[in-house]
């Protein structure tokens, strides 16, 4: 059991009110009240009218039996298996002076709950009116030392069969004041519940435990992380710090691992906050923890931060784990930064670490990303030369390279080579081929891939079906996507979050928002719990429909399920509110994001500036741009293009060209959108004669004009031609009128010009 130390200088117990994770403020300084009877409540997890000590059961716990009444007594254990387990637990105790069989029989009996005074959630009081038999039993164990009780509790909590007995033992010991300290007992039990994947029961137990302590809070953090609830673990970590306690290394490791295992990539800003929280304490990260941070930042798509942490670890003489190096190589390869990936690979190869298949695959992934087929083949040959056996992932990446290069026959030959090398091609290999064809736009070949797959005796798995659904959804073939979805379920494959998210997102992008909402409800009815990505899709859908009340309910429901909004969530909220002109709400969510410790991304500011630009609010757009720079975010070309558009819509062409000058001075290369937007600004203020010069500058800068740019130029030339034609016409009219006047004078003024 991990222990921690309290950082407060006083010796009094902190005074908390009934605690919450999100909404309760910190207790005022200097206030010292009686310890609360409830250690932890999660109000946003409680349904309306629910009892104080109950919290709703997550969907993935619906198959578990009813919660064990851990604060009162355990259900009677009458099965022979449970009895045998109890006997083995008792036999495993080192001390032979104490026989705990009568005690376990008593706390497992139905009468034990009736003897418990008060029940769960109330402060235990010394027994005054208990059965004399129980008092005699308690006196029998009065001399048992604390470490023996701890050993008994750990042994009981180690097995699911004896876990109810462990749950009943803790309140019994507390009721009779037989073992101290209570927080250690509760933390042992919470740790056990977390290991047995019973977070719901751990939360129930925490509501009847004593005042907050480092032991109980650390145990809850570990249980939340082990059960895939990183959001709840982070909230508990904040609560731990709010009460002046310190966390320990394993908690940070468990939170990082939980974030990496989640369906959504970790938020880099959230990882920065977690790293800052660690460094602000007296804890010094070791090699394992730094490796976990390197891997987490790599999975979050921030290889720069991962590289800096890797350099810091090496500077301290720490050797990072190979899994962290592989994650970094994979992130660099996915970003197309192959030279840096090569440098990291060679550095650790030269340091004595023998690269394994995963490391080679990570580097191979980079070559495939940039289309370096020759280098990919050389890596494959180097693996064989070094005695590293390629696996399915290696072949899949090389098949990707062949497919991207249009060498479908080479890919088929490689599949045959896999079989010759006793590496059976699996569904993942064919899913990679399908994904490559999808990205190239050859979605019509999906059925050919499926036939080739079945001819090789490979059965499609969930990942293959997900890629196939995404392929049809991307090209708006929703009926094919639903057919694949039905076929997937007929094959006995249960759709996961990715399947549902892909289907829902495809219907939203096609404008079928009602059907998307139906699929969202079907997802929950099937027992699949929506993730953050699911809620982001639904929030965007409701925002496009301007259903603001339903959007707020969806956002609160998301937080109520313990899911933390990420940067994509807030960017979506700012975007949908901004496009509808509801700028106050957009700013509120921007500030809420900052208050939660997340740093706004350039994409978010681009959404806000673009929203102002579409309504011609150039002053508000430039203010948002200034706030972005004050937050330390480097302007991107996208944001500056939106700023040019804002000035153009507001008929301020001089300011629009000043943004172009700003881009040149700050080494930002204007793109085709930049010049097209400038031409549109000139057309709006009827300065048609300047448009050709902008078009020529675009070509000279290396930008290839697109259809919209050429249309803008044609529009300006057409207006210029019309103006030139009108000018010539009036000149001809004036010349004709003057000639007519001269003729009239020569004729004595008898003929008048029809233009006079």
């Amino acid at each position: 059991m991990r222990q921690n130390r309290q950082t407060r200088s006083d010796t009094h117990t902190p005074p908390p009110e009934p605690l919450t994770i999100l909404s309760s403020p910190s207790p005022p300084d200097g206030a010292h009240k009686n310890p609360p009877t409830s250690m932890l409540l999660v109000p946003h997890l409680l349904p309306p009218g629910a009892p104080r000590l109950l919290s709703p059961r997550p969907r993935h716990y619906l198959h578990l039996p009813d919660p064990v009444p851990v604060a009162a007594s355990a259900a009677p254990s009458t099965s022979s298996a449970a009895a045998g387990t109890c006997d083995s637990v008792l036999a495993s105790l080192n001390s032979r002076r104490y026989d705990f069989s009568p005690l376990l029989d008593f706390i497992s009996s139905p009468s034990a709950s009736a003897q418990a005074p008060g029940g769960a959630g109330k402060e235990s009081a010394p027994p005054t009116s208990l059965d004399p038999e129980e008092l005699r039993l308690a006196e029998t164990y009065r001399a048992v030392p604390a470490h023996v009780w701890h050993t008994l509790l750990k042994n009981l909590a180690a097995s699911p069969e004896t876990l109810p007995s462990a749950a009943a033992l803790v309140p019994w010991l507390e009721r009779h004041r037989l073992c101290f300290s209570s927080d250690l007992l509760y933390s042992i039990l919470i740790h056990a519940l977390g290991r047995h994947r019973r977070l719901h029961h751990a939360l129930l137990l925490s509501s009847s435990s004593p005042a907050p302590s480092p032991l109980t809070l650390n145990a809850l953090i570990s249980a939340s992380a082990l059960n895939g609830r990183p959001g709840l673990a982070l909230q508990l970590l904040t609560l731990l710090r709010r009460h002046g306690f310190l966390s320990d290394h394993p908690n940070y490791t468990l939170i990082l691992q939980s974030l990496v295992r989640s369906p959504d990539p970790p938020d880099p800003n959230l990882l920065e906050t977690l790293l800052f929280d660690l460094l602000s304490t007296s804890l010094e990260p070791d090699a394992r923890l730094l490796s976990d941070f390197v891997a987490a930042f790599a999975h979050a798509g921030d290889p720069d931060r991962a590289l800096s942490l890797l350099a810091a670890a090496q500077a301290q003489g720490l050797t990072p784990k190979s899994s962290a190096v592989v994650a970094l190589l994979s992130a660099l390869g996915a970003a197309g930064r192959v030279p840096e990936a090569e440098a990291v690979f060679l550095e650790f190869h030269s340091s004595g670490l023998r690269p394994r298949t995963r490391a080679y695959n990570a580097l191979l992934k980079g070559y495939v990303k940039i289309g370096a087929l020759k280098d990919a083949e050389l890596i494959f040959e180097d693996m064989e030369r070094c005695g590293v056996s390629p696996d399915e992932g290696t072949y899949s990446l090389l098949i990707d390279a062949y497919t991207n290069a249009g060498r479908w026959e080479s890919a088929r030959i490689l599949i045959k080579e896999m079989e010759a090398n006793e590496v059976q091609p699996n569904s993942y290999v064919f899913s990679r081929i399908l994904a490559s064809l999808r990205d190239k736009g050859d979605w019509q070949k999906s059925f050919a891939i499926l036939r080739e797959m079945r001819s090789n005796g490979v059965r499609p798995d969930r990942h293959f079906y997900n890629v196939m659904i995404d392929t049809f959804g991307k090209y708006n073939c929703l009926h094919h996507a639903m057919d694949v979805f039905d076929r997937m379920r007929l094959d006995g494959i249960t759709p996961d979050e990715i399947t549902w998210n892909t289907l829902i997102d495809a219907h939203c992008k096609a404008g079928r928002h009602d059907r998307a909402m139906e699929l969202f409800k079907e997802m929950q009815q099937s027992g699949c719990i929506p993730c953050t990505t699911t809620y982001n899709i639904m929030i965007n859908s409701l925002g496009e429909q301007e259903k603001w009340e339903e959007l707020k309910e969806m956002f609160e429901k998301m937080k109520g399920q313990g899911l933390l909004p990420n940067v994509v969530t807030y960017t979506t909220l700012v975007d949908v509110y901004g496009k509808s002109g509801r700028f106050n709400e957009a700013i509120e969510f921007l500030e809420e994001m900052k208050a939660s410790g997340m740093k706004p991304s350039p994409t978010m500011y681009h959404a806000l500036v673009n929203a102002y630009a579409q309504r011609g609010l150039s002053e508000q757009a430039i203010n948002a741009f200034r706030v972005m720079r004050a937050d330390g975010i480097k302007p991107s070309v996208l944001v500056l293009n939106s700023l040019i558009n804002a000035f153009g819509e507001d008929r301020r062409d001089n300011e629009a060209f000043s943004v172009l000058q700003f881009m040149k001075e700050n080494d930002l290369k204007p793109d085709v959108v930049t010049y097209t937007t400038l031409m549109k600004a000139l057309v709006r203020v009827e300065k048609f004669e300047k448009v050709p010069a902008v078009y020529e500058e675009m070509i000279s800068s290396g930008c290839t004009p697109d259809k919209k740019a050429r249309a803008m130029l044609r529009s300006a030339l057409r207006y210029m031609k019309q103006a030139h034609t009108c000018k010539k016409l009036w000149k001809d009219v004036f010349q004709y009128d003057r000639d007519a006047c001269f003729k009239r004078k020569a004729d004595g003024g008898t003929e008048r010009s029809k233009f006079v």
Side-chain angles (χ1 to χ4, degrees):
M1 181 60 59
R2 302 192 305 270
Q3 298 193 19
N4 212 330
R5 61 180 184 276
Q6 188 172 347
T7 59
R8 295 184 176 179
S9 58
D10 57 353
T11 58
H12 297 282
T13 302
E17 299 287 333
L19 300 178
T20 62
I21 294 180
L22 288 177
S23 57
S24 290
S26 301
D29 295 334
H32 299 283
K33 302 178 183 178
N34 294 328
T37 58
S38 173
M39 195 280 287
L40 179 64
L41 294 180
V42 192
H44 60 279
L45 295 179
L46 297 177
R52 181 170 178 267
L53 296 177
L54 296 181
S55 58
R57 191 178 311 181
R59 285 190 182 275
H60 49 281
Y61 287 115
L62 290 179
H63 66 281
L64 293 179
D66 291 335
V68 181
V70 292
S73 66
S77 177
T78 57
S79 65
S80 59
T85 307
C86 285
D87 293 339
S88 63
V89 168
L90 295 175
S92 65
L93 293 176
N94 295 327
S95 175
R96 296 185 179 181
R97 290 182 56 189
Y98 308 105
D99 181 13
F100 294 106
S101 300
L103 173 60
L104 296 181
D105 292 339
F106 174 78
I107 62 177
S108 299
S109 64
S111 60
S113 59
Q115 297 292 337
K122 297 183 180 180
E123 185 179 0
S124 298
T128 57
S129 59
L130 295 180
D131 183 76
E133 183 64 24
E134 181 179 353
L135 291 174
R136 186 194 63 78
L137 188 64
E139 289 299 324
T140 303
Y141 296 104
R142 184 69 62 183
V144 177
H147 73 276
V148 177
W149 289 119
H150 297 160
T151 304
L152 175 63
L153 181 60
K154 290 178 182 179
N155 281 274
L156 290 173
S159 172
E161 289 80 10
T162 56
L163 195 56
S165 299
L169 177 63
V170 171
W172 191 86
L173 291 173
E174 189 178 16
R175 189 161 67 245
H176 293 281
R177 303 292 192 263
L178 291 179
C179 182
F180 298 96
S181 67
S182 297
D183 57 349
L184 180 57
L185 298 175
Y186 279 100
S187 63
I188 293 173
L189 196 51
I190 291 172
H191 268 293
L193 290 169
R195 288 195 304 271
H196 293 299
R197 297 296 188 267
R198 297 192 177 188
L199 177 62
H200 178 64
H201 298 72
L203 291 173
L204 287 176
L205 176 64
S206 67
S207 62
S208 60
S209 61
S213 71
L215 290 173
T216 52
L217 286 174
N218 277 322
L220 276 174
I221 292 172
S222 299
S224 301
L226 286 172
N227 285 267
R229 297 286 298 277
L232 182 59
L234 287 168
Q235 295 170 14
L236 287 165
L237 182 62
T238 302
L239 183 64
L240 183 76
R241 295 293 305 278
R242 185 187 303 168
H243 286 274
F245 305 135
L246 290 178
S247 183
D248 49 12
H249 283 179
N251 275 346
Y252 287 99
T253 294
L254 289 172
I255 292 175
L256 289 171
Q257 292 175 352
S258 182
L259 287 170
V260 169
R261 288 195 301 267
S262 63
D264 301 318
D267 182 5
N269 297 318
L270 190 60
L271 296 176
E272 282 287 356
T273 303
L274 192 63
L275 180 60
F276 177 78
D277 182 87
L278 171 67
L279 297 178
S280 63
T281 65
S282 58
L283 293 174
E284 185 174 344
D286 54 10
R288 178 180 179 181
L289 190 52
L290 281 174
S291 297
D292 291 332
F293 270 107
V294 170
F297 276 108
H299 284 287
D302 190 356
D304 291 326
R305 194 69 178 98
L307 279 170
S308 64
L309 285 175
L310 184 64
Q314 292 176 301
Q316 298 177 25
L318 303 176
T319 302
K321 296 189 298 184
S322 59
S323 59
V325 178
V326 170
L328 177 56
L329 288 172
S330 181
L332 291 170
R337 297 164 61 174
V338 178
E340 294 170 90
E342 288 177 341
V344 173
F345 182 86
L346 292 174
E347 179 180 353
F348 282 90
H349 188 27
S350 60
S351 64
L353 292 176
R354 182 186 176 188
R356 300 184 181 274
T357 306
R358 290 182 59 196
Y360 277 105
N361 288 351
L363 188 58
L364 183 61
K365 183 179 180 181
Y367 289 127
V368 175
K369 176 73 175 180
I370 63 174
L373 179 58
K374 187 63 177 177
D375 291 329
E377 291 176 333
L378 290 175
I379 281 290
F380 190 78
E381 295 172 1
D382 188 65
M383 290 180 67
E384 295 179 340
R385 185 169 56 255
C386 295
V388 180
S389 301
D391 59 4
E392 295 89 348
T394 313
Y395 284 107
S396 300
L397 288 168
L398 195 54
I399 288 171
D400 271 355
Y402 285 133
T403 309
N404 291 336
R407 294 171 57 179
W408 168 236
E409 288 302 322
S410 298
R412 296 184 64 179
I413 292 172
L414 194 60
I415 292 175
K416 299 300 181 183
E417 184 180 334
M418 288 180 65
E419 298 175 351
N421 292 335
E422 298 182 353
V423 180
Q424 182 64 32
N426 54 16
S427 181
Y428 178 77
V429 174
F430 290 95
S431 67
R432 294 307 309 155
I433 299 174
L434 181 59
S436 299
L437 295 174
R438 174 202 61 195
D439 297 338
K440 293 177 61 179
D442 293 336
W443 62 271
Q444 296 89 347
K445 295 182 180 178
S446 301
F447 299 104
I449 297 300
L450 184 59
R451 287 193 298 268
E452 180 78 18
M453 183 178 180
R454 294 187 184 279
S455 66
N456 282 272
V458 180
R459 185 172 179 266
D461 61 1
R462 182 184 292 111
H463 179 69
F464 181 84
Y465 278 120
N466 287 345
V467 175
M468 202 167 188
I469 291 172
D470 182 59
T471 301
F472 290 128
K474 184 176 181 180
Y475 295 97
N476 202 21
C477 301
L478 298 182
H479 59 289
H480 285 323
M482 293 305 300
D483 289 343
V484 174
F485 180 67
D486 295 335
R487 181 65 186 176
M488 174 183 183
R489 291 190 289 186
L490 287 175
D491 286 348
I493 299 175
T494 304
D496 59 0
E497 307 93 33
I498 299 175
T499 314
W500 289 104
N501 291 346
T502 305
L503 274 177
I504 294 171
D505 189 47
H507 283 80
C508 288
K509 289 178 178 177
R512 301 185 60 184
H513 299 287
D514 293 339
R515 181 57 179 149
M517 180 60 73
E518 292 174 2
L519 289 169
F520 177 71
K521 294 177 181 178
E522 290 178 19
M523 175 184 184
Q524 299 173 83
Q525 292 169 0
S526 69
C528 186
I529 301 175
C531 61
T532 306
T533 302
T534 317
Y535 281 103
N536 291 345
I537 295 170
M538 294 308 303
I539 287 171
N540 186 68
S541 173
L542 294 171
E544 289 182 355
Q545 301 174 76
E546 298 189 355
K547 295 182 177 180
W548 306 118
E549 291 301 324
E550 296 181 27
L551 187 150
K552 291 179 181 178
E553 292 176 3
M554 186 71 67
F555 186 60
E556 292 302 324
K557 183 179 180 181
M558 171 186 174
K559 294 193 292 186
Q561 291 187 356
L563 296 173
L564 285 178
N566 55 20
V567 174
V568 178
T569 311
Y570 285 109
T571 302
T572 303
L573 288 166
V574 170
D575 186 39
V576 295
Y577 277 107
K579 286 181 178 178
S580 299
R582 302 170 71 96
F583 297 110
N584 291 335
E585 289 90 342
I587 296 299
E588 287 177 5
F589 281 112
L590 179 61
E591 295 300 327
E592 179 180 330
M593 178 184 179
K594 292 181 181 179
S596 64
M598 284 185 279
K599 185 178 180 181
S601 64
T603 306
M604 170 172 284
Y605 280 108
H606 171 244
L608 186 59
V609 173
N610 188 53
Y612 285 128
Q614 291 179 358
R615 295 180 176 266
L617 301 174
S618 58
E619 286 299 327
Q620 290 85 339
I622 193 64
N623 287 336
F625 178 75
R626 289 167 181 159
V627 172
M628 180 188 73
R629 299 198 67 189
D631 286 343
I633 299 177
K634 184 179 179 180
S636 65
V637 175
L638 287 175
V639 175
L640 294 171
N641 287 346
S642 295
L643 194 58
I644 292 174
N645 189 41
F647 287 127
E649 293 292 328
D650 207 13
R651 306 177 69 86
R652 298 170 63 179
D653 58 299
N654 291 330
E655 286 85 351
F657 276 90
S658 67
V659 176
L660 176 64
Q661 186 62 32
F662 175 85
M663 295 174 69
K664 295 177 180 178
E665 293 174 354
N666 289 272
D667 297 328
L668 291 171
K669 182 177 176 57
D671 58 8
V672 63
V673 178
T674 309
Y675 291 106
T676 303
T677 310
L678 285 169
M679 288 191 289
K680 185 177 74 171
L682 292 173
V683 170
R684 181 173 291 275
V685 295
E686 299 181 0
K687 295 183 179 180
F688 310 111
E689 68 280 358
K690 293 185 178 181
V691 173
V694 176
Y695 189 86
E696 291 176 1
E697 181 180 344
M698 174 174 57
I699 296 176
S700 62
S701 66
C703 295
T704 303
D706 58 5
K707 184 184 298 184
K708 191 171 183 179
R710 291 192 293 269
M712 198 64 62
L713 177 63
R714 284 196 300 269
S715 177
L717 292 176
R718 184 170 60 252
Y719 281 114
M720 291 171 62
K721 183 179 180 181
Q722 289 177 357
H724 178 72
T725 303
C726 291
K727 183 177 179 181
K728 184 176 183 299
L729 177 61
W730 282 110
K731 182 178 180 181
D732 293 342
V733 168
F734 179 75
Q735 183 67 34
Y736 178 81
D737 186 58
R738 188 176 60 175
D739 294 343
C741 289
F742 290 150
K743 183 179 180 182
R744 187 172 58 251
K745 289 180 180 179
D747 294 341
T750 56
E751 184 178 349
R752 293 176 56 87
S753 172
K754 62 181 180 180
F755 293 102
V756 177

